[in-house]
Amino acid sequence: MADLNGFNANSFEELENLDLLPAGDYPVAVVNSAIKPTKNLDGQYLELEFQVLEGKFKGRRLWDRLNVQHPSEKAVGFAKRKLASICRAVNVLTPRDSRDLHDRPLIAVVRQKMRHDTQELTTEIRRYSPMGQPVTQGAAPPWARG
């Protein structure tokens, strides 16, 4: 049993709906980053936490994990290309630390993808581009649709 004396639920708002973000282009910024060990402890990944900057989903968080050290050269190569894309999008071509990428707006192209391990849908960032540069064509992105 836990003592909850003094807690008043009326002092807090309800949790927001955390359904998956619809596929689309979102204005985001890196708000946190860290190097973490891979699940198998055979490498490391750079975890980047993004926050949606505006629109209907303002404040929502997204994550991307880039294998910076991994037994698969293909995985490391893909991660380096993705990191280069982020660097170009925020115009920091030679970062000394992942914090150099923080708080700089860019566009994240998001899609929903089936996880192989749990068979559940998850949100995935497919690519990045600079703010103000159109990424996909068609209807307004979900974040701009009120």
Side-chain angles (χ1 to χ4, degrees), residues 4-131:
L4 298 178
N5 189 29
F7 180 79
N8 181 349
N10 291 317
S11 301
F12 300 93
E13 294 180 24
E14 291 282 333
L15 286 175
E16 64 182 274
N17 183 347
L18 295 179
D19 289 338
L20 294 178
L21 287 177
D25 305 343
Y26 294 88
V28 299
V30 176
V31 295
N32 198 9
S33 58
I35 293 288
K36 297 185 175 184
T38 58
K39 184 168 51 171
N40 295 336
L41 302 176
D42 58 357
Q44 295 182 326
Y45 63 89
L46 171 62
E47 182 176 75
L48 298 170
E49 180 181 349
F50 295 88
Q51 184 171 27
V52 177
L53 299 176
E54 55 190 61
K56 180 178 178 181
F57 298 100
K58 181 178 180 177
R60 288 285 299 271
R61 304 287 173 129
L62 298 162
W63 289 263
D64 204 349
R65 293 180 175 153
L66 308 177
N67 289 304
V68 293
Q69 182 186 19
H70 194 273
S72 166
E73 290 182 30
K74 185 176 180 180
V76 173
F78 179 76
K80 286 181 178 180
R81 288 190 303 277
K82 211 167 189 186
L83 180 58
S85 178
I86 294 167
C87 290
R88 283 189 209 84
V90 298
N91 198 29
V92 177
L93 301 181
T94 56
R96 287 178 274 139
D97 189 280
S98 60
R99 289 176 294 196
D100 294 346
L101 306 174
H102 289 204
D103 303 317
R104 297 172 178 269
L106 68 155
I107 297 291
V109 179
V110 171
R111 75 169 184 165
Q112 293 179 2
K113 168 186 160 173
M114 185 72 69
R115 287 181 53 147
H116 299 294
D117 56 348
T118 63
Q119 301 304 305
E120 295 177 356
L121 282 177
T122 186
T123 302
E124 176 185 59
I125 301 174
R126 293 295 295 159
R127 65 182 180 279
Y128 300 92
S129 72
M131 287 289 287

